[in-house]
């Protein structure tokens, strides 16, 4: 049974009622922070700060709604091409976010996960993330999965390399390589595929995000800039998801 958007918006306590049809895993590209700032005559850093506030709101909302996994794209392997001062500013945001939010995450039983190339990050960023992973490792509620220094092709290259090594070591035969074998080597190993992909700010591209994992994902795009994204927009996306027929290549029975 699906939950009409009106009901979701009306009453927080009813949200759990239709849990069966809720997307389990939502993936979001947190896009449009720079344009949000420009529109207001503010520096791009103000947009990133506002984007962080939006993230806090959406983590809270997703937890309340009963989402199991929330994956957010915070920094791509391509983002290193931005001006160095902006990159340096961005790399301080995990520390800043965790300073205020780590207690909140633990209070709400939220477990942090990370996907991307940890080695490429500044030491202070890596330390903050590693510590937060350890401090939330025992939590059993929603998983908040940060894609940071992440690129989907790099993820696939790394998976293929690991599989090739297994094969050349005689531990894996070519016939044994299937979907499950590949998934084992992705950063998302053990997570369900995203049910719903959300990209705000008017772009309709995947931009090297979760290429393997979105094979059957419902895609939802919106013109709202990420800093303006709120619970209403999230519920709108979930409502759209619940009104689509997912057939996985088959026909509706
Ligand atoms: C900037 C909007 C939280 C997107 C959100 C380094 C652009 C705010 C984190 C974060 C960023 C990352 C890992 C972690 C805890 C928090 C973050 C970046 C950018 C890129 F363990 N917000 N945030 N990371 N922005």
């Amino acid at each position: 049974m699906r939950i009409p958007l009106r009901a979701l918006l009306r009453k927080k306590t009813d949200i759990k009622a239709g849990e069966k049809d809720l997307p389990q895993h939502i993936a979001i590209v947190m896009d449009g922070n720079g344009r949000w700032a420009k529109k207001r005559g503010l520096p791009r850093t103000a947009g990133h700060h506002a984007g962080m506030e939006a993230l806090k709101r959406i983590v809270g909302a997703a937890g309340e709604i009963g989402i199991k996994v929330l994956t957010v794209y915070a920094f791509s392997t391509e983002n290193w091409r931005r001006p160095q001062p902006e990159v340096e500013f961005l790399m301080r945001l995990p520390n800043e976010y965790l300073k205020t939010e780590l207690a909140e995450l633990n209070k709400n039983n939220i477990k942090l996960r990370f996907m991307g190339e940890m080695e490429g990050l500044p030491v202070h960023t890596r330390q903050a993330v590693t510590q937060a992973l350890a401090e939330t490792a025992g939590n059993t509620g929603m998983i908040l999965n940060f894609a940071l220094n992440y690129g989907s092709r790099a993820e696939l290259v790394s998976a293929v390399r690991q599989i090739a090594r297994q094969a050349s070591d005689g531990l894996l035969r070519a016939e044994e390589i299937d979907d499950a074998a590949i998934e084992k080597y992705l950063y998302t190993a053990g997570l369900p595929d995203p049910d719903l992909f959300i990209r705000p700010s008017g772009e309709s591209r995947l931009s090297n995000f979760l290429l393997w994992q979105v094979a059957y994902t419902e895609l939802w795009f919106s013109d709202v800039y990420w800093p303006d994204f709120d619970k209403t927009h999230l519920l709108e996306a979930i409502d759209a998801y619940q009104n689509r027929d997912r057939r996985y290549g088959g026909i509706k029975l």
Side-chain angles (χ1 to χ4, degrees), residues 30 33 48 51-52 55 74-75 90 93-94 97 112 129 146 148:
M30 300 188 288
N33 306 291
H48 295 317
M52 198 162 82
L55 173 62
F75 193 88
L90 285 167
L93 290 181
Y97 178 91
L112 212 75
V129 174
F146 277 100
L148 215 172

Side-chain angles (χ1 to χ4, degrees), residues 30-31 33 47-55 72-76 79 82 87 89-98 105 112-114 121 125 128-130 132-133 144 146-149 226-227:
M30 300 188 288
D31 203 7
N33 306 291
H48 295 317
H49 263 139
M52 198 162 82
E53 293 309 311
L55 173 62
V72 291
Y73 207 172
F75 193 88
S76 78
N79 288 151
R82 297 204 180 156
V87 169
F89 175 87
L90 285 167
M91 287 302 154
R92 303 213 169 272
L93 290 181
N95 312 249
E96 196 179 322
Y97 178 91
L98 293 166
L105 296 179
L112 212 75
R113 252 181 91 136
F114 174 91
L121 298 175
T125 310
V129 174
T130 308
L133 289 172
L144 173 58
F146 277 100
L148 215 172
N149 198 15
W226 174 249

Side-chain angles (χ1 to χ4, degrees), residues 108-127:
N108 295 321
N109 198 22
I110 297 172
K111 181 176 174 150
L112 212 75
R113 252 181 91 136
F114 174 91
M115 58 174 194
E117 298 296 324
M118 189 74 97
E119 290 70 34
L121 298 175
V123 177
H124 65 88
T125 310
R126 210 186 315 167
Q127 275 172 350

Side-chain angles (χ1 to χ4, degrees), residues 45-203:
T45 51
H48 295 317
H49 263 139
M52 198 162 82
E53 293 309 311
L55 173 62
K56 293 176 188 172
R57 284 200 300 274
I58 296 306
V59 168
E64 280 173 29
I65 292 167
I67 302 305
K68 297 275 189 291
V69 185
L70 181 67
T71 296
V72 291
Y73 207 172
F75 193 88
S76 78
T77 45
E78 287 73 38
N79 288 151
W80 295 108
R81 281 191 237 132
R82 297 204 180 156
Q84 199 200 330
E86 182 174 345
V87 169
E88 275 173 17
F89 175 87
L90 285 167
M91 287 302 154
R92 303 213 169 272
L93 290 181
N95 312 249
E96 196 179 322
Y97 178 91
L98 293 166
K99 209 179 287 166
T100 62
E101 294 307 290
L102 190 53
E104 188 72 12
L105 296 179
N106 280 324
K107 196 184 91 192
N108 295 321
N109 198 22
I110 297 172
K111 181 176 174 150
L112 212 75
R113 252 181 91 136
F114 174 91
M115 58 174 194
E117 298 296 324
M118 189 74 97
E119 290 70 34
L121 298 175
V123 177
H124 65 88
T125 310
R126 210 186 315 167
Q127 275 172 350
V129 174
T130 308
Q131 191 187 340
L133 289 172
E135 286 182 28
T136 62
N139 294 344
T140 54
M142 185 171 82
I143 294 172
L144 173 58
N145 185 25
F146 277 100
L148 215 172
N149 198 15
Y150 171 85
S152 191
R153 288 187 175 182
E155 176 185 35
L156 289 165
V157 167
S158 146
V160 170
R161 281 190 187 151
Q162 292 177 74
I163 290 169
R165 204 169 298 125
Q166 293 276 307
S168 66
D169 290 351
L171 298 168
L172 191 67
R173 286 178 292 121
E175 308 73 52
E176 289 173 317
I177 302 171
D178 55 10
D179 286 23
I182 291 169
E183 273 158 18
K184 232 172 78 182
Y185 296 100
L186 298 177
Y187 294 130
T188 47
L191 297 178
D193 284 338
D195 302 295
L196 175 60
F197 169 100
I198 296 176
R199 181 158 194 177
S201 92
E203 310 293 349

